[in-house]
Amino acid sequence: MKLKNTKKNIFGLAIVLFVITIFLTSCQKDFKEAKADDKAQQLNSAQRLTENIAGRLGLPYQEGTIVLGDQLRNPYTPTLMSQAWNNLQSRGVTSLYPVEIRQTHFYIKFKPRTWDEYDDLKEDSLLHISDIPYDYEIVKNGNFYQDPTINDTLPTYQYATVPAGFDFNDTIAYEVLSPLYIPEKDNQLLGPSNQNEPFLDKLLNEAYTLTGNYEDTIDLNQQSSLNRYVPGGNIQLFDTRLNTNYGFQGVKVTARRWFDVLTAFCDLNGNYRMNGSFKRPCNYSIWYEHGRFFVKRSGVHWINGPKQIGDWNHTVADGFDRFAGHIFRAAFRYHYKEIGGLQRPFRWLGRKTDYVAKDGVGTGTNPIIFRGIKIWRFRDLAFNEYLSDEIFSTTSHETAHTSHAIRMNTVFQFWQVSRQLQESWAVAVEWFLAHLEYADRGIANYGEFAYFPPNPPDYPNSYAYQYWTPDGSQFLGRYTPIYIDIVDNHNQLGINYFERGIGFVNDQVNGYSLPEIEAKLLKHIYGLSSLASELKNNKPVGVTDAQIDLLISHF
């Protein structure tokens, strides 16, 4: 619903990455071949480690489609784990506690047929779904994957680990790819204070060896191999307005060891740390989701990180990842951070809001009743990208429409509000939130009537949109500063805003606040007449009916 002035603003987009693609050679064996003597196993292990060194150290990252390699033999099936246990027993390796190999989890492929079904999957906050299957090598890293058998207009298959006894949504098709026994999550096996961990290490080594996953084995004779680490690190986001990085607050990061997935969320500084630990390398990923919302390209947008031991740090510096990152940042503030007393845009019945990051030319739209707020990346056909604060502002604008509809007595009453006041309310909210965001980050006067920096942002964040004039166009008639004028203490009449023009509106009204209007008045306002009535019935000290009438007469 937000339209922008299409002024040319050349912003060079450059990613300088040297991409190395290493094709990994599979060395899979059946059970009989895996029973070779120790010397042969050591040779195979060395070969496997050499062939998969890129997997252990982390493939270089660039935006683009992930390329999968060979499917890996699954070491976590109950049958395979039983074979590993039997092999250990035959060599006299014992466990401190009884070993009960059973189905503790399932590896699932969900098959959503529509985007509505995909969104329904996302409603389960305890279910982590992934576009990428867990049991394949990755030979080219990236941020997108679509199963080649699925039309690219439809959601791709989604993969997940679920506990035994999981309550499936029976309206969404799924396939059990494999029953799983995950001994790392078996407290009965581990015993008090993980006393049985040495046995667990031997069991896992045996299972990985049987399935040819030698890169996941550890040297049980080297103390360094036995040390645990807690996955964590730091994620930064680059801002084109500030020309600096700052913590990518709220974004979700996962650390996965095969079917065991740990999650954490970045704090204000971008730091994250998992509630769990590993010994072997884990697969890191970033997911643009948090609680009541997610940002999606097709499904939830993600960045596939490296497979490595220890911390992973990453800067979202450019490209689509950065664009979607600033959509996330605006949504995170509106949903979870300080918003100056405004109300949260939590959707009806607890449903999540999904933001669709569009890699094309446009601005923003919000279907209100249906999910799918859309934000576009480029301002024109020359593919000049919106600046970070403009993406933040547009996202806030579109989200404000949802919040406005929620404030009405019924959502259908929102459509009885004049288009002019629908858009003008969203203009004021984006101006208010963008000021909070950038004042927090060091630009104290961001969005105020004297703010007009080099390469200025689109309305309403330069000169507080005080240069608005009714030129007769439908566009300007809808997107007005009327709610800004009600709350600010600046009269723009006759003031020269230089590149933008001379102030037209005689604004003698001040003393209202957006949170007060939202909480008490908004649901009663449908047009300029009811706006005037509500303002007169709730006047601050010093404001007269004549001043209100004068202000509204300009719109």
Side-chain angles (χ1 to χ4, degrees), residues 471-502:
D471 69 348
S473 72
Q474 185 182 50
F475 170 77
L476 285 178
R478 291 177 178 174
Y479 296 78
T480 80
I482 188 169
Y483 281 106
I484 297 175
D485 291 336
I486 290 166
V487 304
D488 70 11
N489 60 358
H490 174 70
N491 189 345
Q492 62 263 47
L493 182 65
I495 293 180
N496 185 357
Y497 296 104
F498 303 101
E499 295 90 340
R500 296 292 193 253
I502 305 296

PDB file of all heavy atoms in Angstrom, residues 471-502:
ATOM      1  N   ASP A 471      -1.137  18.514  -4.826  1.00  0.00           N
ATOM      2  CA  ASP A 471      -0.989  18.892  -6.235  1.00  0.00           C
ATOM      3  C   ASP A 471      -2.101  18.323  -7.097  1.00  0.00           C
ATOM      4  O   ASP A 471      -2.062  18.400  -8.315  1.00  0.00           O
ATOM      5  CB  ASP A 471       0.375  18.454  -6.762  1.00  0.00           C
ATOM      6  CG  ASP A 471       0.498  16.939  -6.882  1.00  0.00           C
ATOM      7  OD1 ASP A 471      -0.381  16.222  -6.347  1.00  0.00           O
ATOM      8  OD2 ASP A 471       1.476  16.473  -7.495  1.00  0.00           O
ATOM      9  N   GLY A 472      -3.092  17.713  -6.468  1.00  0.00           N
ATOM     10  CA  GLY A 472      -4.220  17.178  -7.215  1.00  0.00           C
ATOM     11  C   GLY A 472      -4.083  15.719  -7.587  1.00  0.00           C
ATOM     12  O   GLY A 472      -5.028  15.101  -8.061  1.00  0.00           O
ATOM     13  N   SER A 473      -2.906  15.134  -7.355  1.00  0.00           N
ATOM     14  CA  SER A 473      -2.724  13.724  -7.717  1.00  0.00           C
ATOM     15  C   SER A 473      -3.354  12.831  -6.661  1.00  0.00           C
ATOM     16  O   SER A 473      -3.427  13.170  -5.486  1.00  0.00           O
ATOM     17  CB  SER A 473      -1.240  13.383  -7.841  1.00  0.00           C
ATOM     18  OG  SER A 473      -0.630  13.353  -6.563  1.00  0.00           O
ATOM     19  N   GLN A 474      -3.835  11.684  -7.105  1.00  0.00           N
ATOM     20  CA  GLN A 474      -4.417  10.718  -6.174  1.00  0.00           C
ATOM     21  C   GLN A 474      -3.374  10.253  -5.169  1.00  0.00           C
ATOM     22  O   GLN A 474      -3.669  10.049  -3.990  1.00  0.00           O
ATOM     23  CB  GLN A 474      -4.979   9.527  -6.947  1.00  0.00           C
ATOM     24  CG  GLN A 474      -5.718   8.513  -6.074  1.00  0.00           C
ATOM     25  CD  GLN A 474      -6.213   7.331  -6.876  1.00  0.00           C
ATOM     26  OE1 GLN A 474      -5.445   6.729  -7.634  1.00  0.00           O
ATOM     27  NE2 GLN A 474      -7.474   6.990  -6.749  1.00  0.00           N
ATOM     28  N   PHE A 475      -2.141  10.139  -5.630  1.00  0.00           N
ATOM     29  CA  PHE A 475      -1.058   9.677  -4.761  1.00  0.00           C
ATOM     30  C   PHE A 475      -0.883  10.592  -3.557  1.00  0.00           C
ATOM     31  O   PHE A 475      -0.955  10.172  -2.411  1.00  0.00           O
ATOM     32  CB  PHE A 475       0.238   9.602  -5.573  1.00  0.00           C
ATOM     33  CG  PHE A 475       1.463   9.375  -4.735  1.00  0.00           C
ATOM     34  CD1 PHE A 475       1.739   8.121  -4.230  1.00  0.00           C
ATOM     35  CD2 PHE A 475       2.319  10.419  -4.447  1.00  0.00           C
ATOM     36  CE1 PHE A 475       2.865   7.906  -3.449  1.00  0.00           C
ATOM     37  CE2 PHE A 475       3.445  10.215  -3.668  1.00  0.00           C
ATOM     38  CZ  PHE A 475       3.710   8.952  -3.171  1.00  0.00           C
ATOM     39  N   LEU A 476      -0.672  11.895  -3.816  1.00  0.00           N
ATOM     40  CA  LEU A 476      -0.430  12.812  -2.716  1.00  0.00           C
ATOM     41  C   LEU A 476      -1.676  13.038  -1.879  1.00  0.00           C
ATOM     42  O   LEU A 476      -1.598  13.359  -0.697  1.00  0.00           O
ATOM     43  CB  LEU A 476       0.106  14.143  -3.239  1.00  0.00           C
ATOM     44  CG  LEU A 476       1.573  14.116  -3.687  1.00  0.00           C
ATOM     45  CD1 LEU A 476       1.992  15.466  -4.232  1.00  0.00           C
ATOM     46  CD2 LEU A 476       2.467  13.723  -2.525  1.00  0.00           C
ATOM     47  N   GLY A 477      -2.830  12.856  -2.484  1.00  0.00           N
ATOM     48  CA  GLY A 477      -4.063  12.991  -1.718  1.00  0.00           C
ATOM     49  C   GLY A 477      -4.225  11.922  -0.669  1.00  0.00           C
ATOM     50  O   GLY A 477      -4.875  12.130   0.363  1.00  0.00           O
ATOM     51  N   ARG A 478      -3.612  10.772  -0.896  1.00  0.00           N
ATOM     52  CA  ARG A 478      -3.721   9.665   0.059  1.00  0.00           C
ATOM     53  C   ARG A 478      -2.626   9.707   1.115  1.00  0.00           C
ATOM     54  O   ARG A 478      -2.874   9.469   2.292  1.00  0.00           O
ATOM     55  CB  ARG A 478      -3.643   8.327  -0.671  1.00  0.00           C
ATOM     56  CG  ARG A 478      -4.833   8.009  -1.556  1.00  0.00           C
ATOM     57  CD  ARG A 478      -4.598   6.694  -2.291  1.00  0.00           C
ATOM     58  NE  ARG A 478      -5.734   6.333  -3.126  1.00  0.00           N
ATOM     59  CZ  ARG A 478      -5.727   5.283  -3.953  1.00  0.00           C
ATOM     60  NH1 ARG A 478      -4.639   4.529  -4.048  1.00  0.00           N
ATOM     61  NH2 ARG A 478      -6.781   5.002  -4.677  1.00  0.00           N
ATOM     62  N   TYR A 479      -1.436   9.981   0.708  1.00  0.00           N
ATOM     63  CA  TYR A 479      -0.261   9.856   1.590  1.00  0.00           C
ATOM     64  C   TYR A 479       0.086  11.232   2.158  1.00  0.00           C
ATOM     65  O   TYR A 479       0.909  11.947   1.595  1.00  0.00           O
ATOM     66  CB  TYR A 479       0.908   9.261   0.815  1.00  0.00           C
ATOM     67  CG  TYR A 479       0.646   7.846   0.338  1.00  0.00           C
ATOM     68  CD1 TYR A 479      -0.147   7.609  -0.782  1.00  0.00           C
ATOM     69  CD2 TYR A 479       1.184   6.759   1.013  1.00  0.00           C
ATOM     70  CE1 TYR A 479      -0.399   6.312  -1.212  1.00  0.00           C
ATOM     71  CE2 TYR A 479       0.945   5.464   0.587  1.00  0.00           C
ATOM     72  CZ  TYR A 479       0.147   5.254  -0.521  1.00  0.00           C
ATOM     73  OH  TYR A 479      -0.101   3.972  -0.946  1.00  0.00           O
ATOM     74  N   THR A 480      -0.560  11.596   3.235  1.00  0.00           N
ATOM     75  CA  THR A 480      -0.406  12.933   3.780  1.00  0.00           C
ATOM     76  C   THR A 480       0.265  12.888   5.154  1.00  0.00           C
ATOM     77  O   THR A 480       0.301  11.843   5.807  1.00  0.00           O
ATOM     78  CB  THR A 480      -1.770  13.631   3.936  1.00  0.00           C
ATOM     79  OG1 THR A 480      -2.407  13.166   5.139  1.00  0.00           O
ATOM     80  CG2 THR A 480      -2.670  13.369   2.737  1.00  0.00           C
ATOM     81  N   PRO A 481       0.742  14.059   5.642  1.00  0.00           N
ATOM     82  CA  PRO A 481       1.331  14.126   6.973  1.00  0.00           C
ATOM     83  C   PRO A 481       0.329  14.535   8.050  1.00  0.00           C
ATOM     84  O   PRO A 481       0.740  15.042   9.107  1.00  0.00           O
ATOM     85  CB  PRO A 481       2.408  15.204   6.794  1.00  0.00           C
ATOM     86  CG  PRO A 481       1.797  16.156   5.822  1.00  0.00           C
ATOM     87  CD  PRO A 481       0.997  15.295   4.866  1.00  0.00           C
ATOM     88  N   ILE A 482      -0.958  14.322   7.835  1.00  0.00           N
ATOM     89  CA  ILE A 482      -1.953  14.870   8.749  1.00  0.00           C
ATOM     90  C   ILE A 482      -1.769  14.370  10.182  1.00  0.00           C
ATOM     91  O   ILE A 482      -1.871  15.150  11.138  1.00  0.00           O
ATOM     92  CB  ILE A 482      -3.394  14.608   8.235  1.00  0.00           C
ATOM     93  CG1 ILE A 482      -4.407  15.362   9.103  1.00  0.00           C
ATOM     94  CG2 ILE A 482      -3.701  13.120   8.166  1.00  0.00           C
ATOM     95  CD1 ILE A 482      -5.801  15.379   8.501  1.00  0.00           C
ATOM     96  N   TYR A 483      -1.456  13.087  10.362  1.00  0.00           N
ATOM     97  CA  TYR A 483      -1.254  12.578  11.726  1.00  0.00           C
ATOM     98  C   TYR A 483       0.083  13.059  12.296  1.00  0.00           C
ATOM     99  O   TYR A 483       0.204  13.253  13.503  1.00  0.00           O
ATOM    100  CB  TYR A 483      -1.331  11.056  11.749  1.00  0.00           C
ATOM    101  CG  TYR A 483      -2.747  10.516  11.718  1.00  0.00           C
ATOM    102  CD1 TYR A 483      -3.264   9.928  10.570  1.00  0.00           C
ATOM    103  CD2 TYR A 483      -3.567  10.578  12.838  1.00  0.00           C
ATOM    104  CE1 TYR A 483      -4.551   9.436  10.530  1.00  0.00           C
ATOM    105  CE2 TYR A 483      -4.862  10.079  12.810  1.00  0.00           C
ATOM    106  CZ  TYR A 483      -5.356   9.509  11.653  1.00  0.00           C
ATOM    107  OH  TYR A 483      -6.642   9.016  11.633  1.00  0.00           O
ATOM    108  N   ILE A 484       1.079  13.255  11.444  1.00  0.00           N
ATOM    109  CA  ILE A 484       2.337  13.847  11.905  1.00  0.00           C
ATOM    110  C   ILE A 484       2.074  15.265  12.408  1.00  0.00           C
ATOM    111  O   ILE A 484       2.562  15.677  13.473  1.00  0.00           O
ATOM    112  CB  ILE A 484       3.394  13.849  10.785  1.00  0.00           C
ATOM    113  CG1 ILE A 484       3.748  12.421  10.367  1.00  0.00           C
ATOM    114  CG2 ILE A 484       4.651  14.605  11.230  1.00  0.00           C
ATOM    115  CD1 ILE A 484       4.706  12.335   9.187  1.00  0.00           C
ATOM    116  N   ASP A 485       1.280  16.022  11.664  1.00  0.00           N
ATOM    117  CA  ASP A 485       0.989  17.406  12.039  1.00  0.00           C
ATOM    118  C   ASP A 485       0.216  17.492  13.350  1.00  0.00           C
ATOM    119  O   ASP A 485       0.369  18.458  14.105  1.00  0.00           O
ATOM    120  CB  ASP A 485       0.194  18.092  10.924  1.00  0.00           C
ATOM    121  CG  ASP A 485       1.023  18.328   9.663  1.00  0.00           C
ATOM    122  OD1 ASP A 485       2.265  18.388   9.781  1.00  0.00           O
ATOM    123  OD2 ASP A 485       0.436  18.431   8.580  1.00  0.00           O
ATOM    124  N   ILE A 486      -0.582  16.499  13.632  1.00  0.00           N
ATOM    125  CA  ILE A 486      -1.356  16.507  14.867  1.00  0.00           C
ATOM    126  C   ILE A 486      -0.458  16.355  16.091  1.00  0.00           C
ATOM    127  O   ILE A 486      -0.733  16.924  17.154  1.00  0.00           O
ATOM    128  CB  ILE A 486      -2.420  15.389  14.828  1.00  0.00           C
ATOM    129  CG1 ILE A 486      -3.511  15.724  13.808  1.00  0.00           C
ATOM    130  CG2 ILE A 486      -3.036  15.142  16.201  1.00  0.00           C
ATOM    131  CD1 ILE A 486      -4.399  14.556  13.457  1.00  0.00           C
ATOM    132  N   VAL A 487       0.635  15.617  15.925  1.00  0.00           N
ATOM    133  CA  VAL A 487       1.464  15.321  17.103  1.00  0.00           C
ATOM    134  C   VAL A 487       2.708  16.203  17.197  1.00  0.00           C
ATOM    135  O   VAL A 487       3.264  16.355  18.287  1.00  0.00           O
ATOM    136  CB  VAL A 487       1.884  13.832  17.129  1.00  0.00           C
ATOM    137  CG1 VAL A 487       0.668  12.933  17.087  1.00  0.00           C
ATOM    138  CG2 VAL A 487       2.840  13.487  16.003  1.00  0.00           C
ATOM    139  N   ASP A 488       3.187  16.790  16.077  1.00  0.00           N
ATOM    140  CA  ASP A 488       4.426  17.565  16.170  1.00  0.00           C
ATOM    141  C   ASP A 488       4.141  18.983  16.657  1.00  0.00           C
ATOM    142  O   ASP A 488       2.978  19.407  16.769  1.00  0.00           O
ATOM    143  CB  ASP A 488       5.173  17.563  14.833  1.00  0.00           C
ATOM    144  CG  ASP A 488       4.470  18.382  13.745  1.00  0.00           C
ATOM    145  OD1 ASP A 488       3.510  19.122  14.048  1.00  0.00           O
ATOM    146  OD2 ASP A 488       4.903  18.289  12.578  1.00  0.00           O
ATOM    147  N   ASN A 489       5.195  19.723  16.964  1.00  0.00           N
ATOM    148  CA  ASN A 489       5.048  21.109  17.415  1.00  0.00           C
ATOM    149  C   ASN A 489       5.684  22.076  16.413  1.00  0.00           C
ATOM    150  O   ASN A 489       6.250  23.101  16.797  1.00  0.00           O
ATOM    151  CB  ASN A 489       5.654  21.304  18.806  1.00  0.00           C
ATOM    152  CG  ASN A 489       7.145  20.984  18.825  1.00  0.00           C
ATOM    153  OD1 ASN A 489       7.721  20.583  17.815  1.00  0.00           O
ATOM    154  ND2 ASN A 489       7.772  21.165  19.986  1.00  0.00           N
ATOM    155  N   HIS A 490       5.578  21.731  15.151  1.00  0.00           N
ATOM    156  CA  HIS A 490       6.216  22.506  14.082  1.00  0.00           C
ATOM    157  C   HIS A 490       5.154  22.934  13.079  1.00  0.00           C
ATOM    158  O   HIS A 490       4.397  22.105  12.565  1.00  0.00           O
ATOM    159  CB  HIS A 490       7.267  21.637  13.385  1.00  0.00           C
ATOM    160  CG  HIS A 490       7.888  22.270  12.188  1.00  0.00           C
ATOM    161  ND1 HIS A 490       8.750  23.336  12.265  1.00  0.00           N
ATOM    162  CD2 HIS A 490       7.767  21.984  10.860  1.00  0.00           C
ATOM    163  CE1 HIS A 490       9.153  23.671  11.053  1.00  0.00           C
ATOM    164  NE2 HIS A 490       8.568  22.874  10.188  1.00  0.00           N
ATOM    165  N   ASN A 491       5.077  24.228  12.812  1.00  0.00           N
ATOM    166  CA  ASN A 491       4.164  24.743  11.795  1.00  0.00           C
ATOM    167  C   ASN A 491       4.967  25.008  10.522  1.00  0.00           C
ATOM    168  O   ASN A 491       5.826  25.892  10.473  1.00  0.00           O
ATOM    169  CB  ASN A 491       3.495  26.031  12.264  1.00  0.00           C
ATOM    170  CG  ASN A 491       2.383  26.474  11.312  1.00  0.00           C
ATOM    171  OD1 ASN A 491       2.279  26.002  10.188  1.00  0.00           O
ATOM    172  ND2 ASN A 491       1.545  27.392  11.786  1.00  0.00           N
ATOM    173  N   GLN A 492       4.689  24.254   9.487  1.00  0.00           N
ATOM    174  CA  GLN A 492       5.477  24.303   8.257  1.00  0.00           C
ATOM    175  C   GLN A 492       5.076  25.424   7.307  1.00  0.00           C
ATOM    176  O   GLN A 492       5.733  25.630   6.276  1.00  0.00           O
ATOM    177  CB  GLN A 492       5.393  22.959   7.529  1.00  0.00           C
ATOM    178  CG  GLN A 492       3.992  22.547   7.082  1.00  0.00           C
ATOM    179  CD  GLN A 492       3.325  21.611   8.062  1.00  0.00           C
ATOM    180  OE1 GLN A 492       3.337  21.864   9.265  1.00  0.00           O
ATOM    181  NE2 GLN A 492       2.725  20.534   7.561  1.00  0.00           N
ATOM    182  N   LEU A 493       4.001  26.151   7.600  1.00  0.00           N
ATOM    183  CA  LEU A 493       3.482  27.134   6.658  1.00  0.00           C
ATOM    184  C   LEU A 493       4.555  28.154   6.264  1.00  0.00           C
ATOM    185  O   LEU A 493       5.124  28.849   7.112  1.00  0.00           O
ATOM    186  CB  LEU A 493       2.284  27.866   7.262  1.00  0.00           C
ATOM    187  CG  LEU A 493       1.620  28.907   6.347  1.00  0.00           C
ATOM    188  CD1 LEU A 493       1.008  28.218   5.124  1.00  0.00           C
ATOM    189  CD2 LEU A 493       0.552  29.701   7.110  1.00  0.00           C
ATOM    190  N   GLY A 494       4.855  28.210   4.960  1.00  0.00           N
ATOM    191  CA  GLY A 494       5.767  29.198   4.417  1.00  0.00           C
ATOM    192  C   GLY A 494       7.242  28.891   4.593  1.00  0.00           C
ATOM    193  O   GLY A 494       8.091  29.664   4.131  1.00  0.00           O
ATOM    194  N   ILE A 495       7.577  27.788   5.229  1.00  0.00           N
ATOM    195  CA  ILE A 495       8.983  27.453   5.445  1.00  0.00           C
ATOM    196  C   ILE A 495       9.560  26.829   4.176  1.00  0.00           C
ATOM    197  O   ILE A 495       8.917  26.000   3.516  1.00  0.00           O
ATOM    198  CB  ILE A 495       9.144  26.519   6.647  1.00  0.00           C
ATOM    199  CG1 ILE A 495       8.778  27.276   7.935  1.00  0.00           C
ATOM    200  CG2 ILE A 495      10.566  25.963   6.742  1.00  0.00           C
ATOM    201  CD1 ILE A 495       8.904  26.458   9.191  1.00  0.00           C
ATOM    202  N   ASN A 496      10.781  27.217   3.847  1.00  0.00           N
ATOM    203  CA  ASN A 496      11.443  26.717   2.649  1.00  0.00           C
ATOM    204  C   ASN A 496      12.178  25.415   2.987  1.00  0.00           C
ATOM    205  O   ASN A 496      13.139  25.420   3.766  1.00  0.00           O
ATOM    206  CB  ASN A 496      12.430  27.766   2.132  1.00  0.00           C
ATOM    207  CG  ASN A 496      13.062  27.357   0.814  1.00  0.00           C
ATOM    208  OD1 ASN A 496      12.809  26.265   0.300  1.00  0.00           O
ATOM    209  ND2 ASN A 496      13.887  28.228   0.257  1.00  0.00           N
ATOM    210  N   TYR A 497      11.726  24.333   2.399  1.00  0.00           N
ATOM    211  CA  TYR A 497      12.391  23.036   2.566  1.00  0.00           C
ATOM    212  C   TYR A 497      13.293  22.732   1.367  1.00  0.00           C
ATOM    213  O   TYR A 497      13.543  21.569   1.043  1.00  0.00           O
ATOM    214  CB  TYR A 497      11.350  21.940   2.789  1.00  0.00           C
ATOM    215  CG  TYR A 497      10.575  22.142   4.080  1.00  0.00           C
ATOM    216  CD1 TYR A 497       9.278  22.637   4.046  1.00  0.00           C
ATOM    217  CD2 TYR A 497      11.153  21.886   5.304  1.00  0.00           C
ATOM    218  CE1 TYR A 497       8.565  22.858   5.221  1.00  0.00           C
ATOM    219  CE2 TYR A 497      10.453  22.097   6.482  1.00  0.00           C
ATOM    220  CZ  TYR A 497       9.162  22.584   6.433  1.00  0.00           C
ATOM    221  OH  TYR A 497       8.470  22.808   7.607  1.00  0.00           O
ATOM    222  N   PHE A 498      13.751  23.800   0.727  1.00  0.00           N
ATOM    223  CA  PHE A 498      14.757  23.748  -0.325  1.00  0.00           C
ATOM    224  C   PHE A 498      14.374  22.769  -1.430  1.00  0.00           C
ATOM    225  O   PHE A 498      13.417  23.017  -2.151  1.00  0.00           O
ATOM    226  CB  PHE A 498      16.128  23.440   0.287  1.00  0.00           C
ATOM    227  CG  PHE A 498      16.516  24.456   1.329  1.00  0.00           C
ATOM    228  CD1 PHE A 498      16.383  24.176   2.681  1.00  0.00           C
ATOM    229  CD2 PHE A 498      16.973  25.711   0.955  1.00  0.00           C
ATOM    230  CE1 PHE A 498      16.707  25.113   3.639  1.00  0.00           C
ATOM    231  CE2 PHE A 498      17.297  26.670   1.902  1.00  0.00           C
ATOM    232  CZ  PHE A 498      17.169  26.371   3.248  1.00  0.00           C
ATOM    233  N   GLU A 499      15.085  21.657  -1.561  1.00  0.00           N
ATOM    234  CA  GLU A 499      14.834  20.723  -2.671  1.00  0.00           C
ATOM    235  C   GLU A 499      13.388  20.232  -2.705  1.00  0.00           C
ATOM    236  O   GLU A 499      12.877  19.836  -3.745  1.00  0.00           O
ATOM    237  CB  GLU A 499      15.774  19.516  -2.583  1.00  0.00           C
ATOM    238  CG  GLU A 499      17.239  19.838  -2.754  1.00  0.00           C
ATOM    239  CD  GLU A 499      17.913  20.160  -1.434  1.00  0.00           C
ATOM    240  OE1 GLU A 499      17.194  20.496  -0.480  1.00  0.00           O
ATOM    241  OE2 GLU A 499      19.155  20.084  -1.362  1.00  0.00           O
ATOM    242  N   ARG A 500      12.709  20.265  -1.558  1.00  0.00           N
ATOM    243  CA  ARG A 500      11.362  19.697  -1.480  1.00  0.00           C
ATOM    244  C   ARG A 500      10.255  20.729  -1.702  1.00  0.00           C
ATOM    245  O   ARG A 500       9.142  20.363  -2.028  1.00  0.00           O
ATOM    246  CB  ARG A 500      11.169  19.026  -0.120  1.00  0.00           C
ATOM    247  CG  ARG A 500      12.078  17.825   0.120  1.00  0.00           C
ATOM    248  CD  ARG A 500      11.689  16.675  -0.799  1.00  0.00           C
ATOM    249  NE  ARG A 500      12.311  15.439  -0.390  1.00  0.00           N
ATOM    250  CZ  ARG A 500      13.315  14.839  -1.018  1.00  0.00           C
ATOM    251  NH1 ARG A 500      13.820  15.394  -2.104  1.00  0.00           N
ATOM    252  NH2 ARG A 500      13.804  13.703  -0.580  1.00  0.00           N
ATOM    253  N   GLY A 501      10.535  22.009  -1.473  1.00  0.00           N
ATOM    254  CA  GLY A 501       9.512  23.016  -1.712  1.00  0.00           C
ATOM    255  C   GLY A 501       9.147  23.792  -0.458  1.00  0.00           C
ATOM    256  O   GLY A 501       9.777  23.670   0.597  1.00  0.00           O
ATOM    257  N   ILE A 502       8.071  24.609  -0.577  1.00  0.00           N
ATOM    258  CA  ILE A 502       7.620  25.488   0.495  1.00  0.00           C
ATOM    259  C   ILE A 502       6.466  24.838   1.244  1.00  0.00           C
ATOM    260  O   ILE A 502       5.551  24.276   0.641  1.00  0.00           O
ATOM    261  CB  ILE A 502       7.160  26.852  -0.073  1.00  0.00           C
ATOM    262  CG1 ILE A 502       8.268  27.482  -0.914  1.00  0.00           C
ATOM    263  CG2 ILE A 502       6.733  27.793   1.059  1.00  0.00           C
ATOM    264  CD1 ILE A 502       9.518  27.828  -0.146  1.00  0.00           C
TER     265      ILE A 502
END
